[in-house]
Amino acid sequence: MNYVEIAVDIPVGPNRTFTYNVPSDMRITTGHMVRVSFSNRPTLGIVFGISETATWSSVLDVLEVVSDEVFFTESQLILAKWVSHHYYASLYHVATAMLPSGMIPKKNATLKVGSEVDRRTLDEESLRLVDYIESHANVSKRRLMKEFGRTSRGVIADLMANEIVVPHESVLPPRVGPKMQEFISISTANDYSQMLLEVQRSDNQQRVLELLRKVDTFVSARFLRARFGAQPIRSLISKGFLLVHHVRSYRVPAVGLEVPTDGRRILSNEQARAVSGIQKALREYPKNQKILLWGIAGSGKTEVYLRALAECLDRVRTAIILVPDISLTAQTVAEVIARFPGQVAVLHSGLSSGEQFDQWQQIISGEFKIVVGVRSAVFAPLNDLGLIIVDEEQDWIYKQSDREPQYHARDVAVKLAELSGAVLVLGSATPDVESYYAAQREEYTLLQMHRRPDGRIHPAVRTRVVAVSYTHLTLPT
């Protein structure tokens, strides 16, 4: 008998999981999203672990697996536990924050008519409500009040109190999924001359067959319908002369900025020393090393990042580069994409749900080796992580404080690097006090670039705390 440890979508405190039994006909693995009963009500949960024994003598069964797809990798689940404990957040909410919003199944609270209802005992208004629930799918309280007015609130409450109408919870599927495009080809099972003979009365059907025979490949169904009309295509398909193919199509985010792909830039001495320091750390993988790259504005930190990314890919590792804001760092994002075409995923809130879904899927499949994005990109499901770069690491935007779970992406990146053995590079022109202090204590390796590639030196700025005093002010009455 197998048991699973599940984080449930209920406010139960940080890092809490609950034991459930896996029915014999059910196949479950870590990372699956499931539906379970908790406190006599169904809810969603995420499988964090599997065991052969249970700590309790009596445990409930898992009700169903929401999707055959495994939503989370093992490394994501380990990181989620740390975030939940460190920031005192719900384990379920931390895990779902790692996914694009459109991928997360939602609970759907609706009403249904009870099994034993004596319609003769109901008044006219109650009957109207019951009939409406029976004749419509997924009817919620809000929908009923919208349909029958707010005065129906009391009637609904009475019906539920008498169990004539009972609550029902189901799971709504994710809002987004793979985008499929329809393509058409000519059937090779039929003789071409015979097909032309059978459609000789329709010029459009003949032209469709002639075109497909000429190109000898799949052609977009949308293109064919726009050029020849829907009816000829439908007729040829029904006759078996055309074959329909559904092909996965990926939605590609627009970057909106093009840069030259010159990878032969000559490095300054300071850039070369910085690149050499990061490359040395990458060669010592999985010895987790943390580097503070302190470089003035215009000193060429982006080129150092690009050389570090190239070294990481040469070592068959993947990388994450975090930026505080996509719109303010568009040049950096565009340069990464230009230098590594076809290998870069972009993750930020400006993408449509479909674009986020497709980028996520291509990361999981291993098609993308580099992820560029804002703070939530630290949760990207990359395998074989070798390098994490946090650009402008001092920026407060890396802190998520407006919603749960609250976390600091830079600190999460530090922990992720420790868990994965990856090299961490914190880049800034004005390092955060905590990071600079860690470098002074030799917890981080400090690499400095105080000259621009053209040789100009940034003006030196020195600060010194002279004195701190506190004055009690008396406000006038």
Side-chain angles (χ1 to χ4, degrees):
M1 182 178 293
N2 286 333
Y3 301 93
V4 287
E5 294 298 319
I6 295 176
V8 294
D9 185 15
I10 299 291
V12 291
N15 236 1
R16 291 287 306 276
T17 59
F18 298 87
T19 306
Y20 285 84
N21 176 55
V22 181
S24 58
D25 59 344
M26 190 177 290
R27 296 292 175 264
I28 291 181
T29 187
T30 54
H32 265 141
M33 188 164 281
V34 296
R35 194 166 68 93
V36 296
S37 179
F38 189 89
S39 295
N40 295 320
R41 53 182 273 197
T43 190
L44 294 173
I46 297 167
V47 179
F48 270 77
I50 298 176
S51 64
E52 295 292 331
T53 59
T55 54
W56 300 94
S57 58
S58 177
V59 294
L60 299 175
D61 286 350
V62 175
L63 300 179
E64 66 171 324
V65 178
V66 172
S67 171
D68 292 334
E69 181 180 6
V70 177
F71 283 77
F72 304 92
T73 64
E74 288 285 351
S75 59
Q76 282 181 303
L77 296 178
I78 294 171
L79 183 62
K81 289 180 179 179
W82 180 85
V83 173
S84 174
H85 173 76
H86 189 72
Y87 293 102
Y88 208 80
S90 159
L91 187 55
Y92 178 89
H93 290 154
V94 170
T96 52
M98 295 179 167
L99 298 175
S101 58
M103 285 181 61
I104 305 170
K106 301 290 185 182
K107 290 184 291 187
N108 185 32
T110 58
L111 301 173
K112 67 176 184 179
V113 177
S115 57
E116 297 181 4
V117 177
D118 187 355
R119 301 175 67 90
R120 294 172 299 179
T121 62
L122 301 179
D123 58 32
E124 184 177 348
E125 188 171 4
S126 298
L127 276 173
R128 286 172 57 218
L129 289 170
V130 169
D131 289 340
Y132 185 86
I133 294 171
E134 287 184 327
S135 59
H136 295 78
N138 298 322
V139 178
S140 63
K141 285 185 184 179
R142 179 178 297 181
R143 183 175 170 184
L144 274 181
M145 286 189 285
K146 184 177 179 180
E147 184 72 23
F148 295 96
R150 298 185 65 84
T151 55
S152 62
R153 184 196 298 267
V155 181
I156 297 171
D158 289 341
L159 290 173
M160 294 184 69
N162 294 313
E163 295 186 350
I164 296 170
V165 171
V166 295
H168 174 71
E169 285 197 4
S170 58
V171 178
L172 293 175
R175 299 197 315 269
V176 294
K179 179 182 179 182
M180 308 301 293
Q181 285 190 311
E182 193 177 53
F183 288 84
I184 290 176
S185 65
I186 192 168
S187 172
T188 57
N190 298 284
D191 179 70
Y192 178 66
S193 301
Q194 185 63 35
M195 287 191 290
L196 286 179
L197 188 63
E198 291 193 31
V199 299
Q200 61 182 337
R201 294 186 179 182
S202 172
D203 292 339
N204 276 343
Q205 290 186 36
Q206 283 187 351
R207 285 197 287 267
V208 170
L209 292 175
E210 289 168 357
L211 173 65
L212 291 173
R213 173 67 178 268
K214 182 179 180 180
V215 299
D216 193 29
T217 187
F218 295 174
V219 176
S220 167
R222 178 181 294 182
F223 167 79
L224 291 175
R225 292 189 181 104
R227 184 168 180 178
F228 302 105
Q231 180 56 40
I233 306 301
R234 188 160 49 245
S235 179
L236 288 169
I237 292 173
S238 66
K239 293 174 182 176
F241 296 165
L242 300 183
L243 301 178
V244 180
H245 311 270
H246 292 94
V247 179
R248 173 78 182 270
S249 173
Y250 290 99
R251 291 152 283 207
V252 180
V255 177
L257 185 65
E258 293 186 3
V259 296
T261 58
D262 182 11
R264 299 171 297 174
R265 295 174 183 171
I266 298 175
L267 299 178
S268 68
N269 291 334
E270 288 185 333
Q271 283 180 307
R273 283 194 293 271
V275 170
S276 177
I278 298 173
Q279 288 176 337
K280 178 178 181 295
L282 287 168
R283 287 194 294 271
E284 295 175 357
Y285 175 91
K287 179 185 176 183
N288 166 240
Q289 297 188 51
K290 304 177 182 71
I291 296 170
L292 176 60
L293 179 60
W294 181 9
I296 64 170
S299 61
K301 292 190 294 296
T302 299
E303 185 61 30
V304 173
Y305 298 158
L306 294 173
R307 299 293 179 100
L309 291 169
E311 178 74 19
C312 183
L313 295 190
D314 287 345
R315 298 188 173 279
V316 200
R317 296 286 167 187
T318 59
I320 295 173
I321 177 166
L322 298 182
V323 294
D325 189 289
I326 288 290
S327 61
L328 297 179
T329 54
Q331 180 77 17
T332 300
V333 175
E335 288 203 42
V336 174
I337 293 173
R339 189 71 65 90
F340 305 99
Q343 301 183 75
V344 182
V346 179
L347 294 176
H348 58 88
S349 59
L351 304 182
S352 69
S353 297
E355 289 170 340
Q356 291 183 33
F357 175 84
D358 283 347
Q359 294 283 290
W360 199 262
Q361 291 286 315
Q362 288 171 286
I363 294 169
I364 292 175
S365 68
E367 183 174 341
F368 291 140
K369 306 300 182 184
I370 300 171
V371 173
V372 182
V374 295
R375 61 189 176 216
S376 60
V378 74
F379 299 126
L382 285 169
N383 292 314
D384 302 317
L385 187 62
L387 177 65
I388 305 172
I389 297 172
V390 183
D391 190 31
E392 303 295 342
E393 60 92 21
Q394 83 292 342
D395 203 307
W396 63 270
I397 295 179
Y398 285 121
K399 294 182 179 180
Q400 176 166 291
S401 56
D402 57 338
R403 61 184 179 276
E404 293 292 338
Q406 298 181 1
Y407 65 92
H408 194 314
R410 184 198 62 201
D411 296 345
V412 176
V414 171
K415 187 62 181 182
L416 177 60
E418 292 174 358
L419 293 172
S420 61
V423 174
L424 175 72
V425 177
L426 304 178
S428 177
T430 54
D432 184 84
V433 172
E434 293 180 21
S435 301
Y436 186 70
Y437 181 66
Q440 293 296 301
R441 290 169 57 90
E442 298 185 350
E443 296 172 9
Y444 295 176
T445 300
L446 179 62
L447 301 176
Q448 302 184 60
M449 299 193 305
H450 295 309
R451 290 178 179 267
R452 296 187 175 94
D454 58 11
R456 287 182 296 163
I457 303 174
H458 195 279
V461 177
R462 295 182 181 275
T463 59
R464 183 162 60 97
V465 178
V466 177
V468 178
S469 63
Y470 299 91
T471 302
H472 294 281
L473 298 179
T474 302
L475 298 177
T477 56

